[in-house]
Amino acid sequence: EAQVTQNPRYLITVTGKKLTVTCSQNMNHEYMSWYRQDPGLGLRQIYYSMNVEVTDKGDVPEGYKVSRKEKRNFPLILESPSPNQTSLYFCASSTSTSGGGTDTQYFGPGTRLTVL
Amino acid sequence: SQKIEQNSEALNIQEGKTATLTCNYTNYSPAYLQWYRQDPGRGPVFLLLIRENEKEKRKERLKVTFDTTLKQSLFHITASQPADSATYLCARRNSGNTPLVFGKGTRLSVIA
């Protein structure tokens, strides 16, 4: 089954304790991205990756890191989480937009993060 | 910057009626617009994509239009059902490799 998986689904942590949210897709997609979703603010992109070893900042990258060492994985790293990073996080993947392709996003199930 | 706006935060409609959701964009037309459905606590699910040169796209009870003069896309659900209750998001990509931009969504409630 084609899917995007995220782990963990729920996480409660404390300020300053480093954490990683994993994301994996089995569709051989070039493009992967991370979003956070907050009430009243909608979906905002944190980071995206056009392909292996290629990452770039989205609209709200501060306080986050990503890496893309393999095509299928795109972990989100919070080196020193703070309460304002409490949010619902989604990983998404899509095919490349080169050659006239469209970037229909396939989203993971979400990770609800609470930073105390 | 290029913006995308869904003016209605919430829309209530009676079962069986046609729901119409609006998505407006600024400045130049995107190559295409996408519409997604999102249920509470779950990831958005792609529904339809309409290209700039397409006036209308249909899929079962769904219809999307793209009006470059009004800079607007309309999303219609005909014969709406309570199961259609969800938040609907529109999205655009401004150009090339720039990030996909989502509207804030419209929460549709279909009342039996």
Side-chain angles (χ1 to χ4, degrees):
Chain A
E1 181 190 353
Q3 60 182 352
V4 178
T5 57
Q6 295 177 227
N7 282 293
R9 295 288 314 281
Y10 303 90
L11 179 60
I12 300 174
T13 190
V14 294
T15 298
K17 187 176 181 181
K18 180 180 179 179
L19 67 91
T20 299
V21 184
T22 64
C23 173
S24 183
Q25 50 94 4
N26 63 0
M27 293 169 280
N28 202 37
H29 284 162
E30 296 87 0
Y31 187 96
M32 296 185 74
S33 60
W34 276 101
Y35 297 87
R36 61 178 288 174
Q37 188 172 39
D38 303 287
L41 297 177
L43 273 170
R44 294 179 293 168
Q45 192 171 53
I46 303 170
Y47 268 96
Y48 63 99
S49 169
M50 301 295 293
N51 214 322
V52 176
E53 302 292 359
V54 181
T55 62
D56 211 341
K57 296 177 180 179
D59 293 323
V60 288
E62 293 78 21
Y64 304 95
K65 285 175 58 176
V66 293
S67 68
R68 188 90 181 273
K69 293 185 173 63
E70 306 166 279
K71 198 171 187 178
R72 63 183 293 128
N73 296 323
F74 190 45
L76 178 70
I77 303 157
L78 283 72
E79 295 270 4
S80 182
S82 62
N84 65 11
Q85 293 179 297
T86 293
S87 187
L88 181 58
Y89 291 86
F90 290 104
C91 179
S93 72
S94 69
T95 54
S96 169
T97 56
S98 64
T102 64
D103 55 346
T104 300
Q105 302 283 298
Y106 294 82
F107 284 84
T111 295
R112 187 167 293 282
L113 172 66
T114 301
V115 183
L116 301 174
Chain B
S1 65
Q2 312 303 326
K3 291 185 179 179
I4 193 158
E5 294 175 349
Q6 294 182 255
N7 294 331
S8 297
E9 190 174 317
L11 178 66
N12 296 327
I13 194 164
Q14 193 171 4
E15 181 177 9
K17 300 291 186 184
T18 296
T20 299
L21 285 64
T22 304
C23 179
N24 295 297
Y25 61 88
T26 60
N27 299 320
Y28 63 84
S29 291
Y32 49 81
L33 286 164
Q34 304 179 33
W35 284 88
Y36 292 78
R37 169 183 172 140
Q38 185 176 23
D39 292 289
R42 306 188 72 170
V45 175
F46 172 77
L47 295 175
L48 280 169
L49 179 150
I50 184 164
R51 297 184 185 274
E52 184 182 13
N53 59 358
E54 296 174 322
K55 295 290 186 193
E56 181 180 298
K57 202 80 166 282
R58 291 177 183 262
K59 179 182 175 183
E60 297 173 351
R61 293 183 296 110
L62 308 181
K63 184 178 83 171
V64 174
T65 61
F66 196 156
D67 188 327
T68 55
T69 301
L70 294 177
K71 296 189 176 182
Q72 182 179 83
S73 176
L74 298 179
F75 177 83
H76 305 272
I77 305 176
T78 58
S80 58
Q81 306 165 1
D84 295 326
S85 298
T87 295
Y88 292 86
L89 307 169
C90 68
R92 70 172 289 175
R93 177 172 298 281
N94 293 328
S95 64
N97 297 330
T98 57
L100 191 66
V101 177
F102 283 84
K104 293 181 181 179
T106 296
R107 188 173 66 253
L108 174 67
S109 298
V110 180
I111 303 160

